Amino acid sequence: MAQPAPKRPIDLATETGVEREARLTWERTRLAEADADFAAGRYISGDEADAWLARELAEAQAASEREDD
C-alpha cells in the first residue's frame, strides 16, 4: 500500500470534489490490490482468519494489561 488512508471520518457534506476524487481513487486502488491478491491465491480461510484474529486480540489484551501495571 503506497498511500495512507484518507483521514476518517469523512464529512461528505463538506468534502470537496478534489478530496472526493482522491478518496475514490484510493479506494479503487485498494480494491484492485485485493482483487489481485485473491486472484493470486493470497488469502486465508475463515478458520485461519478467526485464529489469527483471536491471537491478535489476545496479544492486544496482554499489552493493555501490561500498560495498566
Side-chain angles (χ1 to χ4, degrees):
M1 195 174 346
Q3 299 174 357
K7 292 191 176 19
R8 303 274 189 226
I10 297 167
D11 184 355
L12 298 178
T14 60
E15 182 180 46
T16 68
V18 171
E19 290 169 334
R20 179 177 188 274
E21 192 52 42
R23 177 179 54 81
L24 292 175
T25 297
W26 184 89
E27 291 173 358
R28 285 185 201 105
T29 302
R30 301 297 76 76
L31 289 170
E33 288 177 358
D35 287 343
D37 283 341
F38 283 122
R42 291 186 297 264
Y43 59 88
I44 60 176
S45 73
D47 291 339
E48 290 174 298
D50 288 342
W52 171 83
L53 181 57
R55 289 190 305 272
E56 289 293 311
L57 292 172
E59 184 179 314
Q61 180 67 35
S64 175
E65 290 171 359
R66 284 191 303 267
E67 289 176 1
D68 291 341
D69 290 339

